Amino acid sequence: MAGNTFGTLFRLTTFGESHGVALGGIIDGCPAGLDIDLDFVKSELQRRKPGQSHITTQRKEEDEVKFLSGIFESKTTGHPIGFTIENTNQKSNDYEHIKDAYRPSHADFTYHEKYGIRDYRGGGRSSARETACRIVGGAIAKLYLKHLNVSIQAYVSQVGHIKLEKKHQDLDLSKTEESIIRCPDAATAYKMVSYIEDIRKEGDTIGGIVSCLIKGTPIGLGEPVFDKLHADLGKAMLSINAVKGFEYGEGFNSINFKGSELNDSFVSSNEVENNKKITTSTNHSGGIQGGISNGQDIYFNVAFKPVATIMQDQQSVDKDGNETIVKGKGRHDPCVLPRAVPIVESMAALVLVDALLRNKTSRII
Amino acid sequence: MAGNTFGTLFRLTTFGESHGVALGGIIDGCPAGLDIDLDFVKSELQRRKPGQSHITTQRKEEDEVKFLSGIFESKTTGHPIGFTIENTNQKSNDYEHIKDAYRPSHADFTYHEKYGIRDYRGGGRSSARETACRIVGGAIAKLYLKHLNVSIQAYVSQVGHIKLEKKHQDLDLSKTEESIIRCPDAATAYKMVSYIEDIRKEGDTIGGIVSCLIKGTPIGLGEPVFDKLHADLGKAMLSINAVKGFEYGEGFNSINFKGSELNDSFVSSNEVENNKKITTSTNHSGGIQGGISNGQDIYFNVAFKPVATIMQDQQSVDKDGNETIVKGKGRHDPCVLPRAVPIVESMAALVLVDALLRNKTSRII
Amino acid sequence: MAGNTFGTLFRLTTFGESHGVALGGIIDGCPAGLDIDLDFVKSELQRRKPGQSHITTQRKEEDEVKFLSGIFESKTTGHPIGFTIENTNQKSNDYEHIKDAYRPSHADFTYHEKYGIRDYRGGGRSSARETACRIVGGAIAKLYLKHLNVSIQAYVSQVGHIKLEKKHQDLDLSKTEESIIRCPDAATAYKMVSYIEDIRKEGDTIGGIVSCLIKGTPIGLGEPVFDKLHADLGKAMLSINAVKGFEYGEGFNSINFKGSELNDSFVSSNEVENNKKITTSTNHSGGIQGGISNGQDIYFNVAFKPVATIMQDQQSVDKDGNETIVKGKGRHDPCVLPRAVPIVESMAALVLVDALLRNKTSRII
Amino acid sequence: MAGNTFGTLFRLTTFGESHGVALGGIIDGCPAGLDIDLDFVKSELQRRKPGQSHITTQRKEEDEVKFLSGIFESKTTGHPIGFTIENTNQKSNDYEHIKDAYRPSHADFTYHEKYGIRDYRGGGRSSARETACRIVGGAIAKLYLKHLNVSIQAYVSQVGHIKLEKKHQDLDLSKTEESIIRCPDAATAYKMVSYIEDIRKEGDTIGGIVSCLIKGTPIGLGEPVFDKLHADLGKAMLSINAVKGFEYGEGFNSINFKGSELNDSFVSSNEVENNKKITTSTNHSGGIQGGISNGQDIYFNVAFKPVATIMQDQQSVDKDGNETIVKGKGRHDPCVLPRAVPIVESMAALVLVDALLRNKTSRII
């Protein structure tokens, strides 16, 4: 069973290789009647596209999405939304040198062993170019979430050793897009960009952390026992290229607390007589308890390794096991973190909308 | 859509509340002809059961599994394997005091809001008692993996601030079961147990990390692009009660490497003429590249928070928002880590067998 | 991928062989808050159980269902409903003679070839005894439908050459349960019973048709394009043992009409000012248009072949291909139609509730 | 949950409306290494396309498929195969008159009620134009089946009252494509065509039966208990526009046999010493026993009603319930049967390949 579909009720299926005719996908299960703002979808793609700044790859791809179905007079019809993104700037000849060689820490070897055949051009199906389709699906999901005043904001909180020390509560996330690294703190952003410039000059790459904050989530999203909201978020993030770790709420840091310190006390607002709103005085849980959203802020971290494509020669073998050198050439991302920000948001949006739809059948009324 | 099924081809569906008549489940998709060693299944349940040592809860539950179908003359028939585990030691009256109160950082509040009804006795469906069913499913999966010489070994690598400094390569994992905390290093295990004894006396709880090592995985498991092997492992782990984080390979530590440092070079063994075996000289990737197993060791970490049930009074509210005190009484686990070890292994086994079956259709031949 | 689960949102997974420890299942996805009337579930099982009259098998099985989870204080909790039905009257020795022989038109041969192993006792998993679990799932579904005033009534409309000439419009379906054959027309019922008595004496079997009428279905159930409501109903019926055909609305008889004759004109009721109710003047469509319910009566026919177990000696081969005689012995149903009536209703109920839940996400509001 | 995906392991998801930008789909789960013969895919589309003869609609649509991914150097790669079929001959203005009117026995009313919005042009998503995508998926499936020497041949066996009296055993199915009605018997074909010409002159439509024969199916396909092979075939056929009934093997005619007459005796061929091949002396079962293929010929019938679009004025209502006349204009199919033949084959091919892949995990070895 192939794994190109994400979600259960709100489902994105993607197709396409980096050097094929086109990428694309089908968004199925989107409820009818949703206003589709095409400019918003385009602006989301702009945030992911290559060549958007000097610290990302200089490949020029316009990533223009074409919707083929499921939208009528600017509204969703309840039918599948098909879309394509054409490949227009492929330089397939650039990849002749790796036709038979396995690039270190890429999917070349595992794909070849699994399928016995491999589209070697630009990584084929394993290319992160596939995430453009996730942006399209995520943008539609975000439009749905807007109706419900749910916001998703991701940002870069660490690049190599350079760490944003402030927590989300102390940040103005509206400033995220002001820096090319998408870190909302100007001073830290400056350091990150300088560091990436150095890494670039070395022909090397560096990883980091994307943090994400979700505000306004209704209470009740997530399904016991296997499809806990954070389990679905975790899978969504881990499915993004180069991700090595996921934590939510206090995450790995939870280990440094005792239960009595980490538990979030329930408190009641007295705002409305006879209709007390229950909330928590702290939010170590990260907005999810027992796998179900409790209405507080959801926050999580996603760890990205440095991408495997570097501008240096590397020792490797070819498909017959003979030693070979993989040359570092072409165009590369010294650090994918700024382009990963909208991808993290998109995957989170897909998870949330799916959870929202699933929750519609929790009660008989 | 409810979330009580795990897996796509090898599927475990569980049911049951901690104080209902019985828990149980159905394992569907297990290939026919597998020898079922019932003693092995029982021994796995023993590793999870409460009351197994003085650092776990003193509840006495025998967790006896009864198989109802799908096994004939000690072999699987290809048909669904139904099983039950009866609840025999419930003291439901112990829970009258929380009938209307929301225990901090438990699922009481979110379940009530989601469903409008809640079996409050012992946490109902949200109780970790449900994981006994995962052990049964995982044990069947392990029997399948044994055929293929795949081994899964988890162990406790951190409890609070006490950390096992050695990596899996430097440990003798056959010693894991020798200590009640399931840490394979005797000196560290001793410290962990002492620390948990202190925590217990305080009526408090503490979390930690379970690490897991998988050896012998065939090349090719995992499905692009959403069902990457590590994404499915991550979801599996995050679906376990009290888990807050997951990382594989170098995980969050990947951030401290440059691409040139983290990439794993491919090398070729010369053992067999004309049939070179391709492997990697390092294994920062953690045995998975492009979401697909490459035949090297798979290793990952799972972060558990301290469990929410503590033996201290806690401030909270009831379902009407009125302030109340949740008393700390009953029997509790000061640290669930030792009992979590077989659960982590079980979930990993479910993921691997599912991936193995899915991989059977990768090629036409 | 095994096929023991039915439904997408309201899901029944069954397990169990006719001579194993127990049969049972899990109903997952039932919304919380539904009142469970256990007596109703029992009464439904009574309608299917063997030995209920002299024209059905004389096997005595009580088919007592035991609910294990998912119901709290007589209401569903939104969690999986596990249940078992113990096997108490097995005479496994009765089946020693077919241990290695393939009964004609049974699943013995195909199961053996598919799985390489076979529980030969009473047909094992292929036994129609499995449908007792469908009755339990269907009964829960019916309780859900009662809330919405949807009724499902099946009846026997043909046994061999004896055919009920009246259509559902001309029948009083409240009389169905008055005859042991479950035909609502007394005169026809009498003929059917007499005929079955003759068939029984011959040690033979006979098939027939179960018709089904569903009233009160809300408009909008069914999902384009593959999960049309009648396609899901058809699959549900065809999954019942011994079913060979399915038709809905005018069915095969549609061939005898021209389009101008078969089309159902839309008309509008003037009952309510400014809120006209749209209906159709005829209902050749059978309540479903474009795969979606239109609010009119849904009706369909299900063809059952004579069951394969006869009380006569039959020529066959054993698993090695050697000729053998399969003796006609034991207890058998000369005609399963009366017992099939509640099974048809149950499967229809499962389909409808699933469609109802799926329809909850058709629109954004 | 939307219903635009067919299959579990070999999956076709389609999108597109008759007057949108394009239709298309994704074939996911096709094993790697399959040779793709594009000319064959095109020839299959030719068999379905409108305007192929004077007894089908005179709309001119070329139905050119464009593959976008998943095929590399003429072989499948194991990755999703995306494809589009552009809409080039839409005359959307033709449909202004039904913008607010509900055409009798079409999906206009039910779609509007379900979604609150409707692309009225040419039926939108409910148009049978969607089946072009099924042809593409079916063609890929057929290429897979060719490897295994499985053949699927459908043909028209009845149009209105004109019935092909011969059974499949007595027909030369290689002659099916010789007549524009796709009936392999020349004399009957002639009568059918004449009759359709008359119907066409009346501006009316007529239905009929498509029969299908599958030869060479391996033993063991189909999954107990809900996903019986014939249940999946039935659903596949019932999901095709205008289908009202399905029967396999003796089908509804089974009612006219006693069990002793209908049972198929097992016999053993003596061809090979010590390796006897087990077969049946008759094949009333239609090649499927207990829901699993037994290696004999699979045969079934599919009933199509006359299509709803007629060239006559019809009484109806608009969306506000006001009376209106739906004019008969545009281009229509007096009888869809000849164009339905390749659709029936395609859906059968999808079912068989899915069953083949599912069967790969039936046994541990």
Side-chain angles (χ1 to χ4, degrees):
Chain A
M1 186 188 220
N4 299 290
T5 297
F6 189 82
T8 56
L9 298 192
F10 189 89
R11 304 218 281 186
L12 172 68
T13 306
T14 72
F15 66 82
E17 292 85 37
S18 57
H19 286 241
V21 180
L23 297 100
I26 301 176
I27 300 156
D28 202 11
C30 186
L34 181 68
D35 288 308
I36 297 300
D37 176 348
L38 291 179
D39 288 335
F40 175 72
V41 181
K42 285 177 189 170
S43 69
E44 288 288 283
L45 280 166
Q46 293 296 313
R47 295 173 72 205
R48 194 213 74 99
K49 83 166 181 179
Q52 62 185 272
S53 79
H54 72 279
I55 58 167
T56 65
T57 175
Q58 295 307 299
R59 282 192 307 274
K60 294 289 178 202
E61 286 161 328
E62 277 315 306
D63 289 352
E64 277 191 27
V65 65
K66 191 172 171 187
F67 286 103
L68 306 177
S69 67
I71 300 170
F72 183 63
E73 297 177 346
S74 295
K75 282 186 190 292
T76 57
T77 58
H79 300 299
I81 301 168
F83 65 89
T84 52
I85 299 169
E86 287 193 26
N87 288 319
T88 55
N89 188 36
Q90 305 104 324
K91 299 188 178 176
S92 300
N93 292 340
D94 283 3
Y95 296 91
E96 275 295 318
H97 68 295
I98 56 153
K99 185 174 174 177
D100 294 322
Y102 294 141
R103 291 170 300 163
S105 289
H106 270 281
D108 300 345
F109 170 68
T110 50
Y111 269 50
H112 191 90
E113 290 286 318
K114 184 179 182 73
Y115 299 110
I117 183 174
R118 175 169 69 92
D119 179 352
Y120 58 84
R121 302 165 305 168
R125 182 68 180 152
S126 72
S127 165
R129 181 150 172 68
E130 182 268 342
T131 57
C133 300
R134 305 186 184 202
I135 296 285
V136 176
I140 302 296
K142 279 185 175 183
L143 289 171
Y144 186 90
L145 294 173
K146 271 189 190 172
H147 272 255
L148 304 166
N149 292 316
V150 180
S151 73
I152 301 177
Q153 291 169 286
Y155 57 96
V156 174
S157 60
Q158 188 166 351
V159 172
H161 60 284
I162 301 167
K163 193 174 172 180
L164 174 61
E165 296 295 343
K166 293 174 189 164
K167 300 226 159 178
H168 63 82
Q169 301 92 324
D170 307 317
L171 292 166
D172 178 358
L173 296 185
S174 72
K175 295 191 185 304
T176 301
E177 296 294 310
E178 291 180 6
S179 80
I180 57 176
I181 184 63
R182 292 200 168 90
C183 172
D185 182 76
T188 311
Y190 181 83
K191 282 186 235 169
M192 288 171 170
V193 172
S194 301
Y195 181 54
I196 295 170
E197 286 165 347
D198 292 345
I199 290 287
R200 172 181 209 104
K201 281 171 202 154
E202 296 170 22
D204 217 327
T205 56
I206 193 72
I209 291 179
V210 172
S211 296
C212 187
L213 175 68
I214 306 174
K215 296 180 87 74
T217 309
I219 303 172
L221 306 194
E223 300 295 324
V225 293
F226 294 111
D227 298 348
K228 292 182 166 87
L229 187 58
H230 58 265
D232 279 350
L233 282 169
K235 172 163 178 171
M237 299 307 142
L238 287 156
S239 78
I240 301 172
N241 308 48
V243 171
K244 302 297 284 188
F246 169 84
E247 59 178 0
Y248 83 104
E250 288 289 343
F252 277 85
N253 189 38
S254 302
I255 303 165
N256 300 315
F257 293 80
K258 295 178 186 172
S260 59
E261 297 163 341
L262 199 73
N263 281 355
D264 295 316
S265 294
F266 285 108
V267 291
S268 178
S269 69
N270 290 318
E271 292 155 23
V272 189
E273 195 70 29
N274 293 327
N275 189 14
K276 292 177 177 173
K277 198 190 157 199
I278 295 171
T279 180
T280 57
S281 56
T282 52
N283 184 19
H284 298 298
S285 298
I288 302 172
Q289 293 181 322
I292 298 172
S293 63
N294 68 357
Q296 306 306 307
D297 291 349
I298 295 173
Y299 59 94
F300 57 83
N301 293 321
V302 187
F304 288 80
K305 69 166 187 172
V307 287
T309 301
I310 59 176
M311 292 300 101
Q312 300 177 6
D313 289 359
Q314 294 179 91
Q315 190 70 41
S316 191
V317 300
D318 65 17
K319 68 183 168 56
D320 301 315
N322 301 313
E323 290 189 7
T324 187
I325 298 290
V326 171
K327 296 256 176 221
K329 66 179 187 179
R331 300 157 296 184
H332 90 304
D333 274 291
C335 178
V336 292
L337 275 286
R339 294 178 61 205
V341 164
I343 303 170
V344 164
E345 290 177 3
S346 290
M347 293 307 297
L350 291 173
V351 170
L352 281 192
V353 173
D354 196 38
L356 275 159
L357 297 185
R358 293 174 76 167
N359 195 41
K360 281 189 187 294
T361 59
S362 294
R363 300 187 186 198
I364 54 167
I365 309 157
Chain B
M1 185 188 221
N4 298 291
T5 297
F6 189 82
T8 57
L9 299 192
F10 189 89
R11 303 219 280 186
L12 172 68
T13 305
T14 72
F15 65 82
E17 291 86 36
S18 58
H19 286 241
V21 179
L23 297 99
I26 301 176
I27 300 155
D28 202 11
C30 187
L34 181 68
D35 288 308
I36 297 300
D37 176 348
L38 290 181
D39 288 335
F40 174 72
V41 180
K42 284 177 191 170
S43 69
E44 287 288 283
L45 279 167
Q46 292 297 313
R47 293 173 73 207
R48 195 213 73 100
K49 83 167 181 178
Q52 63 184 271
S53 80
H54 73 280
I55 59 167
T56 66
T57 174
Q58 294 306 299
R59 281 191 307 275
K60 295 289 179 202
E61 287 161 326
E62 278 314 307
D63 290 352
E64 278 191 26
V65 64
K66 191 173 172 186
F67 286 103
L68 306 177
S69 67
I71 301 170
F72 183 63
E73 297 177 348
S74 294
K75 283 186 190 293
T76 56
T77 58
H79 300 299
I81 302 168
F83 65 88
T84 52
I85 299 169
E86 286 192 28
N87 288 318
T88 55
N89 188 34
Q90 306 103 323
K91 299 187 178 176
S92 299
N93 292 340
D94 283 4
Y95 296 90
E96 275 296 318
H97 69 297
I98 56 151
K99 185 175 176 178
D100 294 322
Y102 294 141
R103 291 170 300 163
S105 288
H106 269 280
D108 300 344
F109 170 68
T110 51
Y111 270 50
H112 192 90
E113 290 286 317
K114 184 178 182 74
Y115 298 109
I117 184 174
R118 174 169 69 91
D119 179 352
Y120 57 85
R121 301 166 303 168
R125 182 67 179 154
S126 72
S127 166
R129 180 149 173 69
E130 182 267 343
T131 57
C133 300
R134 304 186 184 203
I135 296 286
V136 176
I140 303 295
K142 279 186 175 182
L143 290 171
Y144 186 91
L145 294 172
K146 270 189 191 172
H147 273 256
L148 303 166
N149 292 318
V150 180
S151 73
I152 301 177
Q153 291 170 286
Y155 57 96
V156 174
S157 60
Q158 188 166 352
V159 172
H161 60 283
I162 301 166
K163 193 173 172 180
L164 175 60
E165 297 296 342
K166 294 175 189 162
K167 299 225 161 181
H168 64 82
Q169 301 92 324
D170 307 316
L171 291 166
D172 178 357
L173 295 186
S174 72
K175 294 191 185 304
T176 301
E177 295 294 312
E178 291 180 6
S179 80
I180 56 175
I181 185 63
R182 292 199 168 90
C183 171
D185 183 75
T188 311
Y190 181 82
K191 282 188 234 168
M192 288 172 170
V193 171
S194 300
Y195 182 54
I196 294 169
E197 286 166 347
D198 292 345
I199 290 286
R200 172 182 208 105
K201 281 172 201 153
E202 296 170 23
D204 218 328
T205 57
I206 192 73
I209 291 179
V210 173
S211 296
C212 187
L213 175 69
I214 305 174
K215 296 181 88 74
T217 309
I219 304 173
L221 306 194
E223 300 296 323
V225 292
F226 294 111
D227 298 347
K228 293 182 164 88
L229 187 58
H230 58 267
D232 278 350
L233 283 169
K235 172 163 176 170
M237 299 307 143
L238 288 156
S239 78
I240 301 172
N241 308 47
V243 172
K244 302 297 285 188
F246 170 84
E247 59 178 1
Y248 83 103
E250 287 290 342
F252 278 85
N253 189 38
S254 302
I255 303 165
N256 301 316
F257 292 81
K258 295 178 187 173
S260 59
E261 298 163 341
L262 199 73
N263 281 353
D264 295 316
S265 294
F266 285 108
V267 291
S268 178
S269 70
N270 290 318
E271 292 155 24
V272 190
E273 195 71 29
N274 292 327
N275 188 14
K276 291 178 178 173
K277 196 189 158 201
I278 294 171
T279 180
T280 56
S281 56
T282 52
N283 183 20
H284 297 298
S285 298
I288 303 171
Q289 293 182 321
I292 299 171
S293 62
N294 68 356
Q296 307 306 306
D297 291 348
I298 294 172
Y299 59 95
F300 57 84
N301 294 322
V302 187
F304 287 79
K305 69 166 187 172
V307 286
T309 301
I310 59 176
M311 292 301 100
Q312 300 177 6
D313 288 359
Q314 293 179 91
Q315 190 70 40
S316 190
V317 300
D318 66 17
K319 69 183 166 57
D320 301 315
N322 300 313
E323 290 189 8
T324 186
I325 298 290
V326 172
K327 296 257 177 220
K329 66 179 189 181
R331 300 157 297 183
H332 90 305
D333 274 292
C335 179
V336 291
L337 274 287
R339 295 177 60 204
V341 163
I343 304 171
V344 164
E345 290 177 3
S346 291
M347 293 307 298
L350 291 173
V351 170
L352 281 191
V353 173
D354 196 39
L356 275 159
L357 298 185
R358 293 174 76 168
N359 194 41
K360 282 189 186 293
T361 59
S362 293
R363 301 186 185 200
I364 53 166
I365 310 154
Chain C
M1 185 187 220
N4 299 290
T5 297
F6 189 82
T8 57
L9 298 192
F10 189 89
R11 306 220 276 187
L12 173 68
T13 305
T14 72
F15 66 81
E17 291 86 37
S18 57
H19 285 242
V21 180
L23 297 99
I26 301 175
I27 301 156
D28 202 11
C30 187
L34 181 68
D35 287 308
I36 297 301
D37 176 348
L38 290 180
D39 288 335
F40 174 73
V41 180
K42 285 176 191 171
S43 69
E44 287 289 283
L45 279 166
Q46 292 296 313
R47 296 173 71 206
R48 195 212 74 99
K49 81 166 183 180
Q52 62 185 271
S53 80
H54 73 279
I55 58 167
T56 65
T57 175
Q58 295 306 300
R59 281 192 306 276
K60 294 289 180 203
E61 286 160 329
E62 278 313 308
D63 290 352
E64 278 190 28
V65 64
K66 191 173 172 187
F67 286 103
L68 306 176
S69 67
I71 300 170
F72 183 62
E73 296 177 348
S74 294
K75 281 185 189 297
T76 57
T77 58
H79 300 299
I81 301 168
F83 65 89
T84 53
I85 299 169
E86 287 193 27
N87 288 319
T88 54
N89 188 34
Q90 306 103 321
K91 299 188 178 176
S92 301
N93 292 341
D94 284 3
Y95 296 90
E96 275 295 318
H97 68 297
I98 57 152
K99 184 175 175 178
D100 293 321
Y102 295 140
R103 292 170 298 164
S105 289
H106 270 280
D108 300 346
F109 170 69
T110 51
Y111 270 50
H112 192 90
E113 290 286 316
K114 183 178 182 73
Y115 299 110
I117 183 174
R118 176 170 68 94
D119 179 352
Y120 58 85
R121 301 165 305 168
R125 182 65 180 154
S126 72
S127 166
R129 181 150 172 67
E130 182 267 341
T131 57
C133 301
R134 304 185 183 203
I135 296 285
V136 176
I140 302 296
K142 279 186 175 183
L143 289 171
Y144 186 90
L145 294 172
K146 270 189 191 173
H147 272 256
L148 304 166
N149 292 316
V150 180
S151 73
I152 302 176
Q153 290 169 287
Y155 57 95
V156 175
S157 61
Q158 188 166 351
V159 171
H161 60 283
I162 301 166
K163 195 173 170 180
L164 174 60
E165 297 296 341
K166 295 175 189 162
K167 299 225 161 181
H168 63 82
Q169 300 92 324
D170 306 316
L171 292 165
D172 177 359
L173 297 185
S174 71
K175 294 194 185 302
T176 302
E177 296 294 312
E178 290 181 7
S179 80
I180 58 175
I181 185 64
R182 292 200 168 89
C183 172
D185 183 75
T188 312
Y190 181 82
K191 282 187 235 167
M192 288 171 170
V193 171
S194 301
Y195 182 53
I196 295 170
E197 286 166 348
D198 291 344
I199 290 286
R200 170 182 210 104
K201 281 172 202 153
E202 297 170 21
D204 218 328
T205 56
I206 194 71
I209 292 180
V210 173
S211 295
C212 187
L213 175 68
I214 306 174
K215 296 181 87 74
T217 309
I219 304 172
L221 307 195
E223 300 294 324
V225 293
F226 294 111
D227 298 348
K228 293 182 165 88
L229 187 59
H230 58 266
D232 278 350
L233 282 169
K235 170 163 178 170
M237 298 307 143
L238 288 157
S239 78
I240 300 172
N241 307 49
V243 171
K244 302 298 285 189
F246 169 84
E247 59 179 359
Y248 83 103
E250 288 289 343
F252 277 85
N253 189 38
S254 303
I255 303 166
N256 300 317
F257 293 80
K258 295 179 187 172
S260 60
E261 297 163 340
L262 199 72
N263 281 355
D264 296 314
S265 293
F266 286 108
V267 292
S268 178
S269 69
N270 289 317
E271 292 157 24
V272 190
E273 194 71 30
N274 293 325
N275 189 15
K276 292 179 179 171
K277 199 189 156 199
I278 295 170
T279 179
T280 57
S281 56
T282 51
N283 184 20
H284 297 298
S285 298
I288 303 172
Q289 294 181 321
I292 298 171
S293 62
N294 68 356
Q296 305 306 307
D297 290 349
I298 294 171
Y299 59 95
F300 58 84
N301 293 323
V302 187
F304 288 80
K305 68 167 189 174
V307 286
T309 300
I310 59 177
M311 292 300 100
Q312 301 177 7
D313 288 359
Q314 293 179 92
Q315 190 70 39
S316 190
V317 301
D318 65 17
K319 67 184 169 57
D320 301 315
N322 300 313
E323 290 188 8
T324 187
I325 299 290
V326 171
K327 296 253 176 225
K329 65 178 190 179
R331 300 157 296 184
H332 90 305
D333 275 291
C335 178
V336 292
L337 275 285
R339 295 178 60 205
V341 164
I343 303 170
V344 164
E345 290 177 2
S346 290
M347 292 308 296
L350 291 173
V351 170
L352 281 192
V353 173
D354 196 38
L356 275 160
L357 297 185
R358 291 175 78 168
N359 195 42
K360 282 190 185 295
T361 59
S362 294
R363 302 187 185 199
I364 55 167
I365 308 156
Chain D
M1 186 187 220
N4 298 290
T5 298
F6 189 82
T8 57
L9 298 193
F10 189 88
R11 305 218 278 185
L12 172 67
T13 305
T14 71
F15 66 82
E17 290 86 37
S18 57
H19 286 241
V21 180
L23 295 101
I26 301 176
I27 301 156
D28 202 11
C30 186
L34 181 68
D35 288 308
I36 297 300
D37 176 348
L38 289 181
D39 287 336
F40 174 71
V41 180
K42 285 177 191 171
S43 69
E44 287 288 283
L45 279 167
Q46 293 296 313
R47 296 174 71 208
R48 193 212 74 98
K49 82 165 180 180
Q52 61 185 272
S53 81
H54 73 279
I55 58 166
T56 65
T57 175
Q58 295 306 300
R59 280 192 307 276
K60 294 288 180 204
E61 286 160 329
E62 278 313 307
D63 290 352
E64 278 191 26
V65 63
K66 191 173 171 187
F67 286 103
L68 307 176
S69 67
I71 301 169
F72 183 63
E73 297 176 348
S74 295
K75 281 186 189 294
T76 57
T77 58
H79 300 298
I81 302 168
F83 65 88
T84 53
I85 299 169
E86 287 192 27
N87 288 319
T88 55
N89 188 34
Q90 306 103 324
K91 300 187 177 176
S92 300
N93 293 341
D94 283 4
Y95 295 92
E96 275 295 318
H97 68 297
I98 56 152
K99 185 175 175 178
D100 294 321
Y102 294 141
R103 292 170 300 164
S105 289
H106 270 281
D108 301 345
F109 170 69
T110 50
Y111 270 49
H112 192 91
E113 289 286 317
K114 184 179 181 75
Y115 299 111
I117 183 174
R118 174 170 70 92
D119 179 352
Y120 58 86
R121 302 165 304 169
R125 181 66 181 154
S126 71
S127 165
R129 181 149 173 66
E130 182 269 341
T131 57
C133 301
R134 304 186 184 201
I135 296 286
V136 176
I140 302 295
K142 279 186 175 181
L143 290 171
Y144 186 91
L145 294 172
K146 270 190 190 172
H147 273 256
L148 304 166
N149 292 317
V150 180
S151 74
I152 301 176
Q153 290 169 286
Y155 56 97
V156 174
S157 60
Q158 188 166 350
V159 172
H161 60 283
I162 300 167
K163 194 173 170 181
L164 174 61
E165 296 295 343
K166 294 175 188 162
K167 299 227 161 179
H168 63 83
Q169 300 93 323
D170 307 316
L171 292 165
D172 178 358
L173 297 186
S174 71
K175 296 193 184 301
T176 301
E177 296 294 311
E178 291 181 7
S179 81
I180 57 175
I181 185 63
R182 294 201 166 88
C183 172
D185 183 75
T188 312
Y190 180 83
K191 283 188 234 168
M192 287 173 172
V193 171
S194 301
Y195 181 53
I196 294 170
E197 286 165 348
D198 291 344
I199 290 287
R200 169 182 211 103
K201 281 171 202 152
E202 297 171 21
D204 218 327
T205 57
I206 194 71
I209 292 181
V210 173
S211 295
C212 187
L213 175 68
I214 306 174
K215 296 181 87 74
T217 308
I219 304 172
L221 307 194
E223 300 295 324
V225 293
F226 294 110
D227 298 347
K228 293 182 165 88
L229 187 58
H230 58 266
D232 279 350
L233 283 169
K235 171 163 177 169
M237 299 307 143
L238 288 157
S239 78
I240 301 172
N241 308 49
V243 172
K244 302 298 284 189
F246 170 85
E247 59 178 0
Y248 82 104
E250 288 289 344
F252 277 85
N253 188 38
S254 302
I255 302 166
N256 300 317
F257 294 80
K258 294 180 188 171
S260 59
E261 298 163 340
L262 199 73
N263 281 353
D264 296 315
S265 293
F266 286 108
V267 292
S268 178
S269 70
N270 290 318
E271 294 155 23
V272 191
E273 194 72 29
N274 292 327
N275 189 15
K276 292 179 178 171
K277 197 189 158 201
I278 295 171
T279 179
T280 58
S281 57
T282 51
N283 184 20
H284 299 297
S285 298
I288 303 172
Q289 293 181 322
I292 298 172
S293 62
N294 68 357
Q296 306 306 307
D297 290 350
I298 294 172
Y299 59 97
F300 57 84
N301 294 322
V302 187
F304 288 78
K305 67 165 188 174
V307 286
T309 300
I310 60 177
M311 293 300 100
Q312 300 177 7
D313 289 358
Q314 294 179 92
Q315 189 70 41
S316 191
V317 300
D318 66 18
K319 68 183 169 55
D320 301 315
N322 300 313
E323 290 189 6
T324 187
I325 299 290
V326 172
K327 296 255 176 220
K329 65 179 190 179
R331 300 157 297 186
H332 90 303
D333 275 291
C335 178
V336 292
L337 275 286
R339 295 178 61 204
V341 164
I343 304 171
V344 164
E345 290 177 2
S346 290
M347 292 307 298
L350 291 173
V351 170
L352 281 191
V353 173
D354 197 38
L356 276 159
L357 297 185
R358 291 175 77 168
N359 195 41
K360 282 190 186 292
T361 59
S362 293
R363 300 187 185 199
I364 55 167
I365 307 157

